[in-house]
Amino acid sequence: MLFENIIVGPIHSRRLGTSLGVNVLPTQKKYCSFNCVYCECGWNEIDTRTHIGFNDKEKIKESLLYWCENHSQQERKKVDSITFSGNGEPTLHPDILAIVQDVIELRDKYLPQAKVTILTNSTNLYREDVRKALHLIDNPILKLDAGTEETYKRINKPVSAKFSDIVGYLKEFGNKAIIQTILLRSKNKAEEINNTTPQEFNAWLSIVKEIKPRLVMLYVIDRATPDPDLIRLDKQEMEQFADKVRALGIETECY
């Protein structure tokens, strides 16, 4: 599923309430530094080593302004989050910091109750502008789906980002971070995909303990996935995993 517009919704989000999406990425193709087995946008046809046009930052600002000016105050008040997500990894946009600043400016004027959120796979935390952008917003939601290099590669299938680098930058980012993690396993025994084994989950848990995030979001598969063998965990099992994080004194929510 690809988003065909720059401004999407508002839609209901499990984690964010009523969410107004901002897609800074191309509307025709997925563009991501990961190729996750569970991604609702499907498999990558291109990767970040291929040049592709991004949505222009001025056009993004104009699109959000147009939405705000063409919806009533009552409708705008229903928006809980202005959310950067879209067709891949939003922090790949070279002007992400300026775009975030524009969105905050429009949020303050038209939707002051709304939080600004970025859903990111954490691969661009090495960039100073990305770190600045993430520190400006209300909800920097940073992906960490594995506790080991091997499982990271199986779940996220990165273009080039090293697991150790991502973990290092997450630790540096500190307690403003919201860590998002999908828990899953696969029926395919030929290439086991499973971040719920005691060994794997405990490895992930030790990293989270060092990050000390303000919140952990654990979630399950909610839509069709490119890998058809993935298994959705039930709520009871998710809560058992969540309790292990809560035991560290870290607020944890399940979705």
Side-chain angles (χ1 to χ4, degrees), residues 141-189:
I141 302 182
L142 314 176
K143 184 191 299 291
L144 179 66
D145 287 334
T148 64
E149 178 88 24
E150 182 180 10
T151 300
Y152 160 71
K153 288 180 177 178
R154 288 184 176 183
I155 293 177
N156 301 130
K157 299 186 183 300
V159 172
S160 60
K162 294 181 179 179
F163 180 69
S164 58
D165 291 342
I166 290 174
V167 170
Y169 280 112
L170 285 172
K171 291 176 182 178
E172 287 180 16
F173 194 87
N175 61 11
K176 188 180 180 181
I178 299 172
I179 296 297
Q180 63 166 341
T181 301
I182 190 167
L183 294 180
L184 49 75
R185 58 179 71 100
S186 174
K187 295 179 286 187
N188 185 351
K189 301 302 179 184

